[in-house]
Amino acid sequence: MTDPNPNPEYAFPGWVSMIVGFFLDLLKIAIKIAILLVLLVVGLLVIVVPLVFLSPAVMIILLIAIPFGGLYRHSLARRYLIRKISPLFAGVAVALCTMMVIVVLSIMGGFLDMLKDAGRAHMGDVMLTAGGRGGFAHYEQIIAELEKLPEIERAIPIIQSPGLLQMTFDAAFDGKGFKDTRFVLAIGVNTRDLAEVTAFKDTIYWTQERLAEMKKYRERSLEDWKKSKKPYENKPMDEISKDVIRDLNKKLRIYQGLDTTLRVIDNRDLVNAALDLKSPWSGSRNDLAGIILGIEVNRFNNRNDEGGYFFVPHSIVGWKVSLTVPTTTASGTTFDSNDEDFVVVNETHSGYADVDEKFAFIPFERLQNMMNMQSGSEVVTGPDGAPIINDDGEVELTGWHKPARCSEIHIRAASGISSVELKKVITKRFETENGILDQIRADALRNKVRFDSSLFGMQYITWQDKNQGMINAVTNEKRLLAFLFGFISTVAIVLIAVLFYMIVMEKTRDIGILRAIGASRAGVASIFLGFASAVGTVGAALGATMGCLIVHYINEIHDWLGSTFGLVIWSKKTYFFDSIPNNINPFEVTIIIIIAIGSSLVGALIPAWKASRVNPIESLRYE
């Protein structure tokens, strides 16, 4: 007898062969799944996109077919839908996927809309800029010509400059006082005019309503401090832990900061003070021009859990600050700096970090004078930009008049005119022959006013252009999430395909009978396509309803989860927006419903094709 294993020393034990075989089987299964996933992705790209747009037409055709010999198909589809519990799982999958995508896209869309509103809160529909840091001249004539156009409602000049802000806090707590210095973007503007061109007035933080909220918050803070310290009133200090003392001191400082703030600003009309940039206080502060700071410029403004602010040691409103800005020539050369004291008359809260952390609004004429951008006689300057003094000790003049300059012109479009349309109108008015610039140059030469040639490099920027980076980033995030959640939702297609395939296998005899009595292949396939369209329609409708309800009440749901289970996802203390965005876009919801119905039809394609290929003789042979 021949030994089947002539080399027994190299034979593998049985358990090793079993493990190797097991892993080989797993590898084969993994390869098959990978191939299936690739085919699924390719199929989605090739089939889903056109079918999404064709699915409404398919449903209409199915309905039209009822009077023309198609009644049996819909009767059977209705019978399977009512008497089978498995389609309910497919409908639930479609509903959940539809709901999930609507909620995600609505929140991200609302977030994008909020960012757009916040980003354009302090800018016009279209902005004109030229000349770099030195700004440009003749803005009065440009504004006068622009406001003659019926497409323009209002135009205002603005000056922008980097600056150094020094804030001084009093000695309310440490007996010494201290200073804090921040880099800011100084904005010279008539804020009442700015409120006509932008949504600036809506961003003013200190209103009468806000003061009333702060008074309530002050009382709650006092009660919280008293309640927290009551258990320790009769205990020696050495028996109280440092953490408890630290917590009590923090609560006391919050109350003291609110109290100090309210004593300074109570009974003051801070809204009109902000619109006029004038001090509402008497005494030495009455002689100072007003300044409005972004709510985050003062690093001692701390956000509470409700999204509001508390102040330790106190708010900067009502206190004197010093602003230093560079002095520039028309070419943008910096040769000196000027500083001036202001009193903080209000703060602005747009919800946009670049504004709330950097902006400081002061009167237009003040910043214009500080930066040497006012009109006057043109002087001869040296290489460093400084004026040249002649032998008589006087500033040497060129004999020409120097027009005033600004950094930008912000324009508000008339009702019904978009920013893009307005940009085209303004561009045409500037760049055509005998346009605005040709008229200004002719007037300047006639009156011996130095014409600013940088105007020929004028840039026309819409608010969308200004915020393009932010808008594109959030838009791309929204698209990415839509793709990811849409791809995850393909589980509904797979589930429908599996369930319908099982139904086809179970109903092979019924299909054979139908084919034997004359039903066409298309008629048999339409039974399952109609079945799938019904499942998709019902599931999409339920999912859209649930999704819209969740989005509409998302903040109430979030508050309930926080108060009941302590689950806080959207922290008002962290985000600039006080509430979760919940904008519902009807167009997007409609597209999602169509895609859901189309996906259901895609899932039923293979089972429907399988049913249409059933041979009636073969299906009835063993019955």
Side-chain angles (χ1 to χ4, degrees):
M1 186 176 191
T2 305
D3 187 356
N5 189 1
N7 299 302
E9 63 272 20
Y10 297 105
F12 291 103
W15 63 272
V16 174
S17 300
M18 183 180 66
I19 293 176
V20 171
F22 175 73
F23 279 107
L24 287 175
D25 290 339
L26 287 180
L27 180 60
K28 292 177 183 178
I29 294 172
I31 293 174
K32 292 180 180 179
I33 293 175
I35 295 173
L36 183 61
L37 287 175
V38 172
L39 293 176
L40 179 62
V41 172
V42 174
L44 287 174
L45 294 176
V46 175
I47 299 175
V48 172
V49 175
L51 195 60
V52 160
F53 298 98
L54 291 175
S55 57
V58 172
M59 292 188 64
I60 293 173
I61 292 173
L62 290 173
L63 292 174
I64 293 176
I66 292 178
F68 302 99
L71 186 59
Y72 76 93
R73 306 175 229 171
H74 299 276
S75 298
L76 286 175
R78 178 175 176 272
R79 177 183 175 186
Y80 292 161
L81 184 65
I82 295 175
R83 297 189 179 183
K84 290 287 184 181
I85 193 171
S86 55
L88 295 179
F89 295 103
V92 169
V94 173
L96 291 177
C97 293
T98 303
M99 178 191 71
M100 176 177 61
V101 175
I102 287 177
V103 170
V104 171
L105 290 188
S106 297
I107 292 177
M108 286 301 300
F111 184 62
L112 178 60
D113 292 340
M114 280 188 170
L115 280 178
K116 288 180 179 179
D117 293 340
R120 66 175 301 190
H122 298 115
M123 61 181 67
D125 296 311
V126 175
M127 290 144 281
L128 309 185
T129 181
R133 288 182 57 189
F136 60 92
H138 314 295
Y139 62 86
E140 299 101 330
Q141 296 105 305
I142 293 174
I143 290 175
E145 291 295 326
L146 288 175
E147 290 187 337
K148 293 178 182 179
L149 299 174
E151 294 86 357
I152 293 177
E153 183 174 327
R154 191 83 163 82
I156 62 170
I158 285 179
I159 297 176
Q160 295 185 359
S161 171
L164 196 64
L165 184 75
Q166 188 175 72
M167 298 173 283
T168 303
F169 294 84
D170 75 341
F173 301 104
D174 60 6
K176 299 177 182 178
F178 60 93
K179 295 181 179 180
D180 185 45
T181 303
R182 296 289 300 269
F183 288 101
V184 296
L185 181 65
I187 308 294
V189 65
N190 183 323
T191 46
R192 196 171 286 277
D193 291 343
L194 183 64
E196 295 180 7
V197 175
T198 70
F200 172 77
K201 189 174 181 180
D202 297 332
T203 69
I204 294 176
Y205 188 76
W206 292 102
T207 61
Q208 292 300 321
E209 293 78 10
R210 189 81 62 186
L211 286 175
E213 292 176 8
M214 284 298 170
K215 289 178 181 179
K216 294 179 181 178
Y217 186 32
R218 177 181 60 181
E219 299 306 317
R220 292 200 306 270
S221 300
L222 179 59
E223 291 299 323
D224 185 33
W225 174 69
K226 290 181 177 179
K227 183 179 179 180
S228 299
K229 75 164 187 171
K230 190 171 182 179
Y232 307 98
E233 287 180 344
N234 299 321
K235 287 187 177 182
M237 288 295 295
D238 56 357
E239 295 182 9
I240 305 176
S241 68
K242 292 182 179 180
D243 291 338
V244 172
I245 295 175
R246 189 182 301 111
D247 183 61
L248 290 174
N249 287 336
K250 179 182 178 180
K251 292 180 178 181
L252 177 61
R253 286 196 300 271
I254 291 175
Y255 164 73
Q256 290 175 329
L258 290 167
D259 187 60
T260 302
T261 298
L262 288 171
R263 281 192 283 107
V264 172
I265 66 179
D266 199 12
N267 299 319
R268 300 290 191 279
D269 186 359
L270 297 183
V271 173
N272 280 312
L275 295 175
D276 297 328
L277 287 175
K278 292 182 178 179
S279 171
W281 295 276
S282 58
S284 59
R285 289 179 294 183
N286 190 48
D287 299 328
L288 300 175
I291 184 173
I292 303 173
L293 302 179
I295 193 72
E296 297 285 334
V297 170
N298 176 14
R299 64 186 178 92
F300 299 107
N301 287 353
N302 304 283
R303 300 200 77 183
N304 57 32
D305 294 335
E306 289 80 27
Y309 285 86
F310 63 91
F311 315 96
V312 178
H314 55 72
S315 170
I316 196 64
V317 175
W319 298 87
K320 184 176 73 173
V321 298
S322 177
L323 177 66
T324 303
V325 296
T327 302
T328 61
T329 64
S331 62
T333 304
T334 300
F335 64 88
D336 201 356
S337 64
N338 278 328
D339 62 86
E340 190 170 330
D341 291 336
F342 296 86
V343 60
V344 182
V345 296
N346 216 309
E347 291 174 294
T348 176
H349 181 212
S350 67
Y352 192 44
D354 283 349
V355 173
D356 294 342
E357 293 177 353
K358 298 178 182 178
F359 278 23
F361 298 88
I362 64 174
F364 178 82
E365 292 78 11
R366 290 294 180 108
L367 186 55
Q368 193 175 53
N369 292 334
M370 292 174 69
M371 296 184 64
N372 194 34
M373 298 176 72
Q374 73 275 24
S375 63
S377 299
E378 187 180 69
V379 301
V380 180
T381 58
D384 60 352
I388 294 178
I389 308 299
N390 58 25
D391 297 336
D392 298 329
E394 297 178 350
V395 176
E396 189 171 344
L397 304 177
T398 65
W400 286 75
H401 182 73
K402 180 189 71 172
R405 291 175 286 131
C406 74
S407 302
E408 296 179 347
I409 294 176
H410 285 230
I411 305 167
R412 179 172 182 174
S415 177
I417 304 297
S418 69
S419 57
V420 176
E421 293 171 338
L422 180 60
K423 178 180 177 179
K424 293 179 180 178
V425 171
I426 295 173
T427 303
K428 182 178 179 180
R429 187 69 180 87
F430 268 89
E431 297 182 356
T432 55
E433 188 176 354
N434 296 322
I436 292 178
L437 296 185
D438 293 329
Q439 298 175 20
I440 292 175
R441 181 168 57 177
D443 292 341
L445 293 174
R446 186 167 50 251
N447 297 311
K448 211 172 182 180
V449 175
R450 185 69 69 184
F451 177 72
D452 187 355
S453 59
S454 69
L455 291 177
F456 287 108
M458 180 75 73
Q459 298 181 30
Y460 320 98
I461 306 171
T462 65
W463 69 269
Q464 294 98 326
D465 297 334
K466 194 84 167 180
N467 297 316
Q468 195 66 45
M470 176 267 295
I471 293 175
N472 286 343
V474 179
T475 301
N476 290 336
E477 289 178 8
K478 180 182 177 182
R479 290 172 180 170
L480 178 61
L481 285 174
F483 172 78
L484 291 177
F485 280 93
F487 189 77
I488 293 171
S489 298
T490 56
V491 65
I493 299 177
V494 176
L495 182 59
I496 289 174
V498 171
L499 290 176
F500 277 46
Y501 193 85
M502 293 172 60
I503 293 174
V504 169
M505 293 296 98
E506 180 185 347
K507 297 297 180 181
T508 300
R509 177 178 177 275
D510 294 352
I511 295 171
I513 294 173
L514 288 174
R515 294 282 289 116
I517 63 176
S520 65
R521 295 184 186 276
V524 172
S526 66
I527 294 174
F528 296 95
L529 290 178
F531 192 2
S533 65
V535 170
T537 302
V538 173
L542 290 175
T545 302
M546 290 188 297
C548 291
L549 287 174
I550 290 174
V551 171
H552 184 75
Y553 295 103
I554 187 70
N555 287 286
E556 290 79 1
I557 294 172
H558 182 265
D559 293 341
W560 178 78
L561 290 174
S563 60
T564 306
F565 303 103
L567 181 61
V568 178
I569 301 172
W570 181 275
S571 174
K572 297 180 181 180
K573 187 176 182 179
T574 303
Y575 296 99
F576 275 93
F577 302 124
D578 297 334
S579 60
I580 302 175
N582 59 347
N583 294 359
I584 299 174
N585 188 323
F587 176 76
E588 289 183 350
V589 172
T590 303
I591 294 298
I592 292 170
I593 291 175
I594 293 174
I595 291 176
I597 298 173
S599 299
S600 301
L601 290 172
V602 169
L605 278 178
I606 294 178
W609 177 82
K610 176 70 175 176
S612 69
R613 307 305 298 176
V614 169
N615 188 319
I617 296 176
E618 293 293 331
S619 64
L620 297 174
R621 174 176 297 177
Y622 300 105
E623 293 297 333

